[in-house]
Amino acid sequence: MARYHMISFLGSVSCNLSMKHQLSWHKYIINIHRSISSASLKSRQIINGHNERLNFFHSGTCVNQTEEKQEQTKYVMSDKDELVHKLFKGLTRGDRSCLARSITLIESSHPGKRKQAQQLLSRVLDYNKHKTKHTLRGTQSFRIGLTGPPGAGKSTFIEAFGKFLTEKGFKVAVLAVDPSSSTTGGSLLGDKTRMPELSRDMNAYIRPSPSSGKLGGVTRTTNEAIVLCEGAGYDVTLVETVGVGQSEFVVADMVDMFCLLIPPAGGDELQGIKKGIVEVADMVVINKSDGDLVAAARRIQAEYVSALKFMRQRSKVWKPKVKRISSLTKEGIPELWNIMVNYKTLTFESGELRMKREKQLKIWMWNHIQDYIMEAFYKQEGVAKKMDHLEKMVVRGVITPGHAADVLLKTFMKYS
């Protein structure tokens, strides 16, 4: 109130001055007004900051505001969006419809939706971190990746394994990736039809997603969908990829435990050594060990046990195991879960699980950067003008593909 009286007084003084002096006097008043406004803003910031620190102190979480909290406040975007707030509240209550809408939001390529998705993910990550900090069991969630050749029985295994977990009181989320057509780009998204019992279970959530042409069927949104499922209260997240071959194991960079599911008669011992995917597997699961295939399953189990002896050990506390199961008769599934729990306990107590997740966060960041750079590259006007012409020259053999790539990259860097 005092500053307005002072400014009014200064304004009245200007009425008695000449036109020339009035201009100088008005500039002087504006400068005073700006300095007062700046001082008032700083005062309000100090008061607000003081109140925030008092609330933080009285919450009993921490006495002083940590550097991590300051960095988070610096980089996290505003979360005042109504849709984001509504989805976050529903997600943390375990609302399945809000979880489905949240995953749809992060899968959108619309720029506005992407901003909303990042706001939502930031809030959910902070919420998950707070839950983990205040639990006596350490990390609450368990991420399991499942991959294998087509016909290994991945969906049938998830049906049996998921029902086993829900009967034990766990909440299970299944992120099933379906292959996309190389011609139309569409996906069948029919995994739920092969999981009839699990899809009706209220403690299970199944989300089929298109592979979108990605190798192994895993995209950057799969990582983010895992975070959302954990925010919704799901204890175990199963990530099923499309049928893969020898090298498509991107899913290993987003889960705690990577399982390779193979059918009986999947090749000899040498074939097991050749498969690069075996090198990153924490467990090899031999499915369909029932009926006439029991003998073949035992033989392939012995061969893979022998093959794993030649693999370099990646963990100090864990050696990959080979386990026979039957999704049809449920034989071996309880023992398989006990092995998985033992893996989680050992890696958590040794600190390997924490370091693995930290490493995965870095990988996710660089995956985002690569996706955004490629998207910006194709949308860049200078690149778009030259692209068709250079492609034709490469096809006719006028220039090499490497030279054409250099020209496009120089164009992109010039106009970026």
Side-chain angles (χ1 to χ4, degrees):
M1 183 63 72
R3 66 169 179 158
Y4 292 112
H5 287 304
M6 183 175 69
I7 292 172
S8 299
F9 170 75
L10 294 174
S12 63
V13 173
S14 66
C15 297
N16 301 322
L17 298 176
S18 64
M19 182 64 68
K20 177 179 179 181
H21 290 88
Q22 279 184 9
L23 293 174
S24 301
W25 187 254
H26 286 160
K27 292 180 180 179
Y28 180 66
I29 292 175
I30 291 172
N31 291 333
I32 292 177
H33 185 273
R34 287 175 177 172
S35 61
I36 293 173
S37 299
S38 176
S40 176
L41 177 61
K42 290 181 179 179
S43 300
R44 288 197 300 269
Q45 289 175 343
I46 291 172
I47 293 171
N48 292 337
H50 178 66
N51 291 335
E52 184 179 351
R53 285 193 294 272
L54 285 176
N55 293 334
F56 195 61
F57 173 79
H58 288 301
S59 66
T61 307
C62 183
V63 176
N64 296 318
Q65 194 173 22
T66 61
E67 182 180 353
E68 181 181 357
K69 190 70 176 179
Q70 292 173 348
E71 288 296 315
Q72 184 182 6
T73 305
K74 181 179 179 181
Y75 290 109
V76 173
M77 295 177 290
S78 173
D79 56 2
K80 295 181 179 180
D81 191 285
E82 291 184 5
L83 175 62
V84 173
H85 182 72
K86 181 180 178 180
L87 291 178
F88 176 74
K89 289 296 183 183
L91 194 72
T92 52
R93 289 197 308 265
D95 190 328
R96 294 158 66 95
S97 62
C98 286
L99 175 58
R101 291 178 62 192
S102 299
I103 296 178
T104 302
L105 181 66
I106 65 173
E107 289 178 347
S108 174
S109 58
H110 189 276
K113 299 293 185 181
R114 280 188 175 181
K115 290 182 180 179
Q116 291 178 319
Q118 291 306 314
Q119 293 178 24
L120 177 62
L121 284 167
S122 298
R123 296 190 64 177
V124 175
L125 277 171
D126 188 51
Y127 174 77
N128 291 347
K129 189 176 180 180
H130 179 75
K131 282 199 309 181
T132 303
K133 186 184 296 184
H134 294 279
T135 179
L136 298 176
R137 296 185 296 150
T139 177
Q140 289 184 322
S141 60
F142 192 22
R143 307 166 182 173
I144 303 172
L146 297 170
T147 191
K154 295 185 291 295
S155 297
T156 309
F157 166 73
I158 291 176
E159 163 90 343
F161 186 58
K163 286 297 294 180
F164 168 79
L165 292 177
T166 56
E167 289 171 1
K168 291 180 70 70
F170 292 99
K171 293 187 69 178
V172 180
V174 180
L175 302 177
V177 184
D178 262 12
S180 299
S181 171
S182 58
T183 55
T184 64
S187 297
L188 186 61
L189 302 180
D191 288 271
K192 281 189 176 182
T193 61
R194 289 180 289 179
M195 307 176 192
E197 295 296 328
L198 192 63
S199 61
R200 291 196 296 263
D201 196 322
M202 293 306 297
N203 286 324
Y205 175 78
I206 304 174
R207 172 75 181 206
S209 299
S211 64
S212 303
K214 294 290 184 178
L215 193 65
V218 177
T219 64
R220 63 175 180 82
T221 57
T222 308
N223 307 324
E224 298 165 346
I226 293 174
V227 174
L228 294 178
C229 290
E230 292 174 353
Y234 289 90
D235 309 298
V236 181
T237 304
L238 304 176
V239 183
E240 179 200 1
T241 69
V242 298
V244 296
Q246 294 189 353
S247 59
E248 301 91 336
F249 41 82
V250 185
V251 68
D253 290 328
M254 62 180 66
V255 295
D256 302 325
M257 188 174 197
F258 180 51
C259 298
L260 173 62
L261 204 69
I262 59 174
D268 56 10
E269 181 177 345
L270 180 61
Q271 182 70 13
I273 297 173
K274 287 196 300 181
K275 290 182 178 178
I277 198 169
V278 178
E279 294 179 342
V280 295
D282 299 303
M283 175 175 287
V284 178
V285 181
I286 302 170
N287 196 15
K288 302 183 179 181
S289 178
D290 49 58
D292 297 336
L293 295 175
V294 173
R298 287 176 178 170
R299 184 172 61 254
I300 198 69
Q301 180 185 22
E303 290 176 352
Y304 267 84
V305 168
S306 178
L308 287 171
K309 294 178 182 177
F310 298 96
M311 301 295 178
R312 180 178 298 177
Q313 189 171 343
R314 297 180 297 111
S315 171
K316 295 181 180 179
V317 297
W318 180 258
K319 291 182 179 180
K321 304 290 191 298
V322 183
K323 178 65 180 173
R324 286 186 301 111
I325 64 150
S326 171
S327 301
L328 188 63
T329 64
K330 313 297 188 294
E331 182 182 355
I333 288 182
E335 293 81 5
L336 176 66
W337 173 243
N338 291 334
I339 295 173
M340 290 179 172
V341 171
N342 186 36
Y343 167 86
K344 181 185 177 184
T345 303
L346 291 174
T347 53
F348 174 75
E349 291 177 350
S350 66
E352 288 187 5
L353 183 59
R354 177 184 57 82
M355 291 187 291
K356 189 173 187 177
R357 288 198 176 185
E358 290 175 352
K359 181 181 177 182
Q360 289 172 353
L361 289 172
K362 297 178 184 178
I363 294 173
W364 296 0
M365 182 189 74
W366 286 109
N367 287 342
H368 276 282
I369 292 173
Q370 291 175 6
D371 289 344
Y372 289 147
I373 287 177
M374 289 304 299
E375 184 179 346
F377 179 82
Y378 284 113
K379 290 182 178 180
Q380 213 277 330
E381 186 176 354
V383 172
K385 289 180 179 179
K386 294 184 177 181
M387 192 177 297
D388 291 338
H389 176 65
L390 288 172
E391 284 179 347
K392 293 177 181 178
M393 293 181 69
V394 169
V395 171
R396 293 200 303 265
V398 179
I399 60 174
T400 64
H403 179 64
D406 290 339
V407 172
L408 289 174
L409 287 171
K410 288 179 181 178
T411 305
F412 175 70
M413 289 185 288
K414 179 180 178 181
Y415 292 99
S416 297

